[in-house]
Amino acid sequence: MKILVLGGDGFCGWPTSLHLSSAGHDVVIVDNLSRRQIDVLLEVESLTPIAPMSTRLATWKKVSGKTIKFELVDIAQQYQLLLATIKKHKPDVIIHFAEQRSAPYSMKSSYTKRYTVDNNVNATNNVLCALVESGVDAHLVHLGTMGVYGYGWTGSAPIPEGYLEVGINTPEGEISREILHPANPGSIYHMTKTLDQLMFAFYAKNDSIRVTDLHQGIVWGTQTPQTILDEKLINRFDYDGDYGTVLNRFLMQAAIGYPLTVHGTGGQTRAFIHIRDSVRCIELAIKNPPKKGEKPTIFNQVTEVFRVRDLAKLVSELTGVKINNLPNPRNEAVENELKVDNHKFLALGLKPTTLSQGLLEEVQDVVRKYMGTVDESKIPATSLWRK
Ligand SMILES: NC(=O)c1ccc[n+]([C@@H]2O[C@H](COP(=O)([O-])OP(=O)(O)OC[C@H]3O[C@@H](n4cnc5c(N)ncnc54)[C@H](O)[C@@H]3O)[C@@H](O)[C@H]2O)c1
């Protein structure tokens, strides 16, 4: 299949592009390299040395014999170029990773709030609009987040995969309807993902665009069977207070003996998935598109659920590094329960990488190798939800 990977230079997009190229698909990466630019502005770097795009692509050609093309496009701001790119490549599938994805960054200032809304909402609307205008019948696979559901308010009931059956009392008696699960975003970033959902529902209904929305948990891990083939293919590993995801931050902190930064009591319960499973899920989603005219298909792209303090305890026991409970910069429930329905991917054959299998490998192979490059001043989370 011909596949456009929007945001294919990023943490999830790069290993997905390699995985799909390796599986024989014709992959074109579309990216504006804004994530690299944000690193420059924040004065942080990935723990792992990420090569420039042209080096990444040349190395992939050398080790695999396969070609991945690259188009430099800002999909939020350069609509005509995006449209021309879609018309030129006529993809069967478009995978959409190209959004500002850090909740703390989105809450940093009025500039980052406005940038996140402008970038993410325009990006999604432009892709959908360009699909309609071009007439290219591509299946759109979008990376959403578990955060659209919010945390805790469904009690101990598992979060369903996107839709909820509700009963409505009418004068004629109760009627049953399936609705999008109510949105309950916890940051500006998460809010943009809830807006994405409405756009998908609208364009699927109005224009019969085929959409799959993957509500992904927090991704951990770094390497996939393809990124490990050459150091110039290595995936990024963010550890800073804005872009670092919780488990990767704990692993890096443990490696340098920095007390593990648990915010509040660590009672937050969150859903997780390894990067290797994330790329497999995307491949499964591509193989199982919705039919034209159907509402968007929604999967919960999650393999395990953990409480943050339990994760910290696990890493602490593994490495002997202490835990440091810090004030929580976020405005979120101190403790929450979380159960997630993820039967759809399991039914399609996903075999999850569990934390207990993958953790030690990650500490030894990736974090210890590059820990000499850590800038400790970038570890604290400084973005506040409320000033
Ligand atoms: N990393 C996670 O833990 C996680 C969890 C849940 C969901 N997601 C979702 O997966 C997607 C990818 O996340 P990631 O961690 O790879 O993020 P990332 O920031 O590493 O990658 C995003 C990529 O999109 C590009 N991009 C952003 N705006 C663009 C634009 N306007 N035009 C062209 N390119 C643009 C960036 O340059 C970057 O290469 C995001 O939408 C994110 O919300 C990620």
Side-chain angles (χ1 to χ4, degrees):
M1 277 194 272
K2 182 76 169 262
I3 303 179
L4 287 196
V5 182
L6 313 178
D9 186 44
F11 171 58
C12 299
W14 174 243
T16 302
S17 301
L18 297 187
H19 179 80
L20 295 173
S21 173
S22 168
H25 298 290
D26 186 359
V27 174
V28 181
I29 289 177
V30 178
D31 203 297
N32 66 348
L33 308 182
S34 55
R35 180 67 193 83
R36 293 176 187 246
Q37 185 58 28
I38 290 175
D39 270 356
V40 174
L41 295 172
L42 294 176
E43 300 184 353
V44 298
E45 278 178 20
S46 160
L47 181 72
T48 48
I50 47 169
M53 179 52 89
S54 58
T55 310
R56 281 183 151 184
L57 299 181
T59 309
W60 179 240
K61 174 87 183 160
K62 196 174 86 193
V63 302
S64 70
K66 294 175 193 291
T67 300
I68 295 180
K69 295 195 192 80
F70 174 58
E71 303 274 8
L72 182 67
V73 185
D74 183 330
I75 69 161
Q77 304 301 332
Q78 296 175 299
Y79 175 75
Q80 293 303 333
L81 192 52
L82 171 66
L83 179 64
T85 305
I86 290 176
K87 282 181 175 169
K88 175 173 143 193
H89 292 288
K90 296 185 183 53
D92 304 294
V93 176
I94 298 180
I95 309 175
H96 175 22
F97 294 101
E99 295 183 85
Q100 192 300 102
R101 72 100 171 129
S102 158
Y105 183 80
S106 79
M107 299 301 289
K108 228 175 168 53
S109 66
S110 54
Y111 169 77
T112 62
K113 288 177 185 176
R114 291 172 52 249
Y115 166 71
T116 303
V117 171
D118 186 32
N119 188 63
N120 295 4
V121 175
N122 270 327
T124 299
N125 190 45
N126 282 351
V127 176
L128 290 160
C129 223
L131 280 174
V132 176
E133 187 174 348
S134 65
V136 171
D137 179 25
H139 170 206
L140 180 63
V141 178
H142 171 254
L143 272 290
T145 163
M146 282 299 295
V148 298
Y149 300 117
Y151 294 103
W153 67 279
T154 47
S156 59
I159 293 180
E161 305 211 51
Y163 298 95
L164 203 60
E165 282 285 327
V166 294
I168 304 165
N169 287 323
T170 73
E172 292 77 39
E174 189 177 289
I175 56 169
S176 167
R177 290 282 180 276
E178 192 181 58
I179 60 166
L180 259 182
H181 190 287
N184 184 19
S187 72
I188 293 284
Y189 154 71
H190 291 104
M191 185 186 78
T192 64
K193 294 289 187 177
T194 69
L195 297 172
D196 284 345
Q197 294 194 100
L198 286 182
M199 289 190 271
F200 296 139
F202 175 76
Y203 280 93
K205 181 181 70 172
N206 196 63
D207 301 287
S208 299
I209 301 290
R210 293 174 297 139
V211 182
T212 297
D213 202 2
L214 304 173
H215 289 174
Q216 183 166 244
I218 299 169
V219 182
W220 67 281
T222 316
Q223 299 279 47
T224 63
Q226 290 78 38
T227 63
I228 212 162
L229 292 174
D230 188 298
E231 197 184 27
K232 293 196 190 81
L233 297 175
I234 200 164
N235 198 13
R236 60 179 307 130
F237 184 114
D238 298 304
Y239 66 87
D240 62 280
D242 286 325
Y243 277 89
T245 51
V246 59
L247 182 52
N248 280 5
R249 270 165 64 78
F250 286 167
L251 292 173
M252 184 282 305
Q253 292 164 3
I256 62 166
Y258 189 102
L260 308 180
T261 53
V262 172
H263 294 143
T265 61
Q268 308 91 329
T269 309
R270 295 291 183 268
F272 291 86
I273 183 164
H274 194 282
I275 187 71
R276 284 198 288 264
D277 292 338
S278 175
V279 305
R280 288 189 203 124
C281 285
I282 291 162
E283 191 179 19
L284 288 171
I286 289 171
K287 286 182 179 156
N288 294 277
K291 293 194 181 66
K292 264 185 114 53
E294 283 182 359
K295 65 181 192 302
T297 296
I298 300 179
F299 291 86
N300 289 339
Q301 190 161 302
V302 163
T303 55
E304 291 181 287
V305 168
F306 288 99
R307 209 174 276 279
V308 169
R309 64 168 165 265
D310 295 335
L311 277 183
K313 196 161 162 267
L314 195 73
V315 176
S316 173
E317 281 168 5
L318 207 66
T319 59
V321 173
K322 291 199 175 61
I323 294 172
N324 190 10
N325 286 88
L326 298 164
N328 191 351
R330 300 184 184 216
N331 179 16
E332 64 187 1
V334 178
E335 307 261 329
N336 70 283
E337 300 300 325
L338 181 63
K339 279 197 188 141
V340 183
D341 182 354
N342 64 346
H343 79 275
K344 278 159 76 174
F345 273 131
L346 298 178
L348 290 174
L350 179 72
K351 304 262 179 302
T353 305
T354 60
L355 206 65
S356 51
Q357 294 161 341
L359 207 53
L360 209 57
E361 168 206 322
E362 199 68 28
V363 183
Q364 285 164 349
D365 297 353
V366 179
V367 185
R368 293 225 170 97
K369 183 163 177 200
Y370 297 106
M371 66 192 204
T373 66
V374 168
D375 176 353
E376 285 193 25
S377 72
K378 301 299 178 189
I379 295 175
T382 55
S383 293
L384 301 177
W385 260 234
R386 287 193 187 133
K387 301 294 173 221

